Amino acid sequence: HAKNTGRNNYCLFEPGMDAFLEKRRLLEADLGLALEREEFELHFQPRVSVEQSRIISYEALIRWRHPERGLVSPADFIPIAEQGGKIVAIGEWVLRTACLAAQNDFGGARVSVNVSPVQFRQKNFVESVAAILEETGLAPGQLEIEITEGVLIDDDNRAGLILKQFKQLGITIALDDFGTGYSSLGYLSRFPFDTIKIDRSFVRELTSSENARAIINTIVGLGFGLKMKVVAEGVETVEEAAILAMSGCNELQGFLLGRPLPVGEMAPDADREVAAIVAQARDMQAEM
Ligand code: C2E
Ligand code: MG
Ligand code: MG
Ligand code: MG
């Protein structure tokens, strides 16, 4: 134990830290076998068009059904998968499974897939996505790739070239978690995004903070000027939906509109439920 090895120790290995590292080490070992043991699941969360009052897309969100730990959140294992390089194989599984679901089970709605910077930096990433589209038969226009600005940072414009290749294939690109991190406005003008996803942290403060409302209005204006669609993440209440609709936000996503679910558990009348919620938001908007 590092703790007892001498007086110049900086107590790097406190008990809590030990447990953290231990958990990480165990997860890392299990992660290596999770794909072949078929422990991953893909859940899908609706993205709702305000104008059309219906589901126009679903975001694919991975879960790991660990035999002992139960459902593990992507926040807990994606970083580990990124460090070990396993994210590449996992990411391909996500893309293939998402494209198959969109092709067979979405009734024409599109699908969006989160892509890690590590996948993005793979040499033949564009080719592998194209091959998966070919294999599953999904039209490229039905797929959106969600990236965070981590993909764009310290870049010699390689990211820009890759994004352009995706666009040429007909795949659209969303900038996820917008407003967090560094969020340089330069990214918005330099890269050909189709969609901006406003981070949940702003949506959460909408009803209590005038500043958050000002920021949302500004992002929506930016999106309008740049001809990009604006999606709000993490919408949980009708009041938030009403404010977002009023601001001109194009799409809503969040527990209010639907939780992420496996294909088999999606409600057959989800579109009617969603239409009723949007109508409710509009009524509230009229009274604001
Ligand atoms: P994200 O792409 O920003 O996804 C949105 C997260 O917010 C999801 O968490 C979703 O379940 C959650 N969420 C949606 N609506 C609400 C709401 O109304 N309230 C609250 N509190 N949360 C809401 P999740 O599924 O745990 O995923 C977390 C992050 O993990 C994702 O953030 C994404 O960055 C990453 N991730 C998920 N699936 C994948 C994947 O297949 N590949 C990669 N590379 N990353 C993934
Ligand atoms: Mg996302
Ligand atoms: Mg996000
Ligand atoms: Mg996120």
Side-chain angles (χ1 to χ4, degrees):
H1 248 226
K3 213 175 184 172
N4 307 319
T5 52
R7 47 192 302 187
N8 286 329
N9 245 285
Y10 298 98
C11 293
L12 280 173
F13 296 99
E14 287 299 300
M17 191 65 161
D18 252 356
F20 173 82
L21 289 174
E22 179 66 6
K23 180 182 167 193
R24 195 189 160 103
R25 210 179 50 74
L26 289 173
L27 278 183
E28 193 173 0
D30 293 345
L31 201 52
L33 294 165
L35 252 189
E36 57 184 84
R37 288 183 177 164
E38 300 184 8
E39 291 170 354
F40 292 118
E41 286 177 17
L42 217 45
H43 290 197
F44 296 95
Q45 185 179 39
R47 278 171 51 177
V48 172
S49 160
V50 176
E51 202 188 356
Q52 302 173 49
S53 293
R54 65 183 185 95
I55 298 167
I56 54 172
S57 182
Y58 289 90
E59 178 174 5
L61 295 158
I62 193 171
R63 273 95 185 85
W64 179 12
R65 197 168 289 279
H66 191 282
E68 288 118 38
R69 291 168 191 275
L71 222 53
V72 184
S73 134
D76 286 334
F77 71 85
I78 293 283
I80 302 175
E82 284 175 334
Q83 282 196 351
K86 299 229 160 53
I87 190 66
V88 174
I90 295 171
E92 279 183 15
W93 177 85
V94 169
L95 264 161
R96 185 173 298 113
T97 309
C99 289
L100 273 177
Q103 176 73 324
N104 298 320
D105 304 304
F106 286 5
R110 305 175 72 221
V111 68
S112 66
V113 174
N114 295 285
V115 162
S116 140
V118 178
Q119 279 173 278
F120 203 85
R121 280 185 221 114
Q122 287 291 301
K123 244 219 203 84
N124 40 22
F125 181 52
V126 178
E127 287 83 347
S128 83
V129 174
I132 288 168
L133 285 173
E134 182 94 351
E135 172 196 329
T136 57
L138 188 72
Q142 294 297 95
L143 174 63
E144 181 153 276
I145 286 178
E146 297 195 7
I147 61 168
T148 53
E149 60 182 27
V151 164
L152 311 170
I153 280 163
D154 68 40
D155 175 60
D156 40 0
N157 202 36
R158 216 177 86 76
L161 291 174
I162 294 170
L163 290 181
K164 219 179 264 165
Q165 286 177 277
F166 278 127
K167 301 270 301 187
Q168 278 163 359
L169 285 173
I171 296 165
T172 62
I173 313 288
L175 182 56
D176 205 352
D177 301 344
F178 185 74
T180 63
Y182 298 95
S183 284
S184 157
L185 291 180
Y187 292 146
L188 286 183
S189 69
R190 279 220 318 280
F191 298 105
F193 300 112
D194 300 279
T195 307
I196 304 169
K197 298 191 79 175
I198 305 175
D199 193 70
R200 189 172 89 83
S201 52
F202 300 105
V203 174
R204 203 171 34 202
E205 289 178 354
L206 267 184
T207 48
S208 63
S209 153
E210 211 170 306
N211 287 352
R213 288 196 288 276
I215 287 171
I216 298 262
N217 284 331
T218 302
I219 298 175
V220 170
L222 254 161
F224 186 79
L226 297 168
K227 299 185 177 63
M228 297 173 187
K229 277 196 312 179
V230 176
V231 183
E233 299 189 297
V235 182
E236 292 185 354
T237 67
V238 177
E239 196 178 356
E240 287 164 358
I243 296 169
L244 288 160
M246 196 155 53
S247 78
C249 187
N250 303 101
E251 286 179 44
L252 308 178
Q253 183 180 1
F255 294 166
L256 175 71
L257 292 312
R259 291 185 176 259
L261 288 174
V263 166
E265 288 174 34
M266 288 177 178
D269 60 345
D271 255 323
R272 251 195 304 138
E273 285 172 25
V274 152
I277 294 164
V278 175
Q280 230 184 318
R282 283 195 202 292
D283 287 348
M284 186 181 278
Q285 188 189 332
E287 287 161 23
M288 277 174 166

